[in-house]
Amino acid sequence: MSPNAAIFSLHEKSDLAESLAQKLATTVSVVKIHRFPDNESCVRIVPGDVKQTCIVIASLNNPDPAGLPLVFLSETLREYGAERVILVAPYLAYMRQDQRFREGEGITARYFARLVSSYFDALITVDPHLHRIHNLQEVYSIPTQVIHAAPVVADWIRINVNQPLLIGPDIESAQWVRALAGQINVPFMVLEKVRHGDRDVDVSVPEVQKWLHHVPVLFDDIISTGRTMIETIGHLKRAGMAAPLCIGIHGLFAGQAYHDLIGAGAANVVTTNTIKHATNRIDLAAPIASAIREVL
Ligand code: R5P
């Protein structure tokens, strides 16, 4: 990596940050976040590690507690001489509230984008949840680079699954499922989902009779409560299909979601390492490292 650049990790134990640093032939400078008894936070860096360009690695799966330390970190790095602070957020939060669903709500995707854009000079992320916002540049005013997990996920499926049938549980997942199916030349279908509440979703009944000898692979960008996949698993079971493999790019696993998925009949659950979790099987360090090299 350029001698004028350094990597900082917002999270003390980040395997992804370590692996990125290894690929970029550098080391990670860990940021200490002190929580005061009243819950305020103070970030502390190693001043000697600051370079002209500082790359901050921070997955934003827990965005509210991470938000202020992120802002403080950017300011601290600049005060110690950084001229460019680049955020690498493998999981980018606050993309789903992309419109006002109910009168009186805020459109947090826009506000969060404005906040990040005012503290960072560029953003690198993996498959953000783009739905009604078609392009990050519609809401981010800094340069953004999006890495697509599909080629790496496609390789994983090719090696690990015999005769897959890819299933996207909703229209938003169509973009990813179509790309994946094209890359490994396998059949796919996209279902329809209606969400009634955070944990209350209906998914349309899939027509799977002609695919009964295939392995169903449910694929979604985000697994949060798991309800979307659990609903779909129920339909597949009733249709007589084999237990499905569930793959998510970003495994948020709110509460007991992972156990609920297994309990509902998922044969296995697999995620990429944008968010650290026991289901991480698909390593995106290589494409993220290339994106960082490009930005540098
Ligand atoms: C939203 O449409 C996303 O693509 C996912 O389908 C959604 O976030 C999954 O959420 P949950 O696991 O809570 O059903």
Side-chain angles (χ1 to χ4, degrees), residues 8-292:
F8 290 79
S9 171
L10 187 72
H11 310 293
E12 263 191 58
K13 286 199 169 51
S14 166
D15 297 346
L16 182 60
E18 289 296 339
S19 144
L20 284 172
Q22 226 174 41
K23 289 202 182 314
L24 296 164
T26 183
T27 51
V28 185
S29 189
V30 170
V31 179
K32 297 271 179 215
I33 301 175
H34 178 70
R35 284 267 166 212
F36 292 103
D38 59 5
N39 243 345
E40 288 185 2
S41 61
C42 176
V43 299
R44 186 167 176 213
I45 53 153
V46 179
D49 286 354
V50 176
K51 300 271 168 65
Q52 197 179 10
T53 299
C54 290
I55 313 236
V56 172
I57 318 276
S59 219
L60 297 175
N61 47 307
N62 215 348
D64 291 11
L68 276 179
L70 206 58
V71 163
F72 299 152
L73 175 59
S74 163
E75 291 283 19
T76 311
L77 291 170
R78 287 185 207 280
E79 279 179 2
Y80 275 97
E83 287 170 20
R84 218 161 52 125
V85 185
I86 297 169
L87 176 62
V88 177
Y91 170 67
L92 183 60
Y94 280 114
M95 286 302 296
R96 285 168 293 176
Q97 181 77 17
D98 55 3
Q99 71 169 20
R100 213 182 299 289
F101 294 94
R102 285 174 303 179
E103 195 45 40
E105 285 180 347
I107 307 173
T108 46
R110 293 186 181 280
Y111 315 150
F112 190 69
R114 221 173 283 154
L115 178 80
V116 171
S117 299
S118 46
Y119 285 96
F120 292 88
D121 298 290
L123 166 71
I124 297 174
T125 188
V126 177
D127 286 310
H129 186 82
L130 294 172
H131 184 205
R132 282 157 285 252
I133 295 168
H134 302 109
N135 187 311
L136 285 182
Q137 294 306 144
E138 286 174 29
V139 286
Y140 281 81
S141 56
I142 50 175
T144 56
Q145 191 166 338
V146 170
I147 296 153
H148 295 290
V152 187
V153 177
D155 279 346
W156 190 92
I157 296 176
R158 191 185 294 121
I159 294 167
N160 293 285
V161 190
N162 196 14
Q163 265 208 307
L165 165 68
L166 295 184
I167 303 175
D170 56 21
I171 196 68
E172 287 117 294
S173 63
Q175 50 183 309
W176 292 287
V177 170
R178 196 171 291 123
L180 272 180
Q183 282 170 43
I184 44 180
N185 201 18
V186 298
F188 74 96
M189 59 176 64
V190 175
L191 311 181
E192 274 172 39
K193 175 172 88 180
V194 181
R195 185 178 281 283
H196 305 289
D198 289 344
R199 292 170 192 272
D200 183 8
V201 293
D202 276 335
V203 176
S204 64
V205 182
E207 284 287 335
V208 288
Q209 290 318 308
K210 75 186 230 214
W211 306 113
L212 289 184
H213 299 298
H214 282 64
V215 175
V217 177
L218 298 187
F219 184 85
D220 209 349
D221 59 333
I222 298 171
I223 305 177
S224 178
T225 64
R227 297 315 307 178
T228 301
M229 289 208 172
I230 289 169
E231 268 294 302
T232 315
I233 292 171
H235 289 314
L236 297 174
K237 254 190 188 168
R238 288 185 286 278
M241 283 212 89
L245 164 66
C246 297
I247 304 184
I249 300 177
H250 309 291
L252 291 171
F253 298 113
Q256 292 294 303
Y258 171 69
H259 298 285
D260 293 348
L261 269 170
I262 296 293
N268 202 355
V269 182
V270 165
T271 56
T272 78
N273 55 348
T274 58
I275 299 168
K276 192 174 172 170
H277 190 262
T279 54
N280 291 167
R281 294 283 175 280
I282 304 171
D283 182 11
L284 296 180
I288 300 175
S290 315
I292 295 175

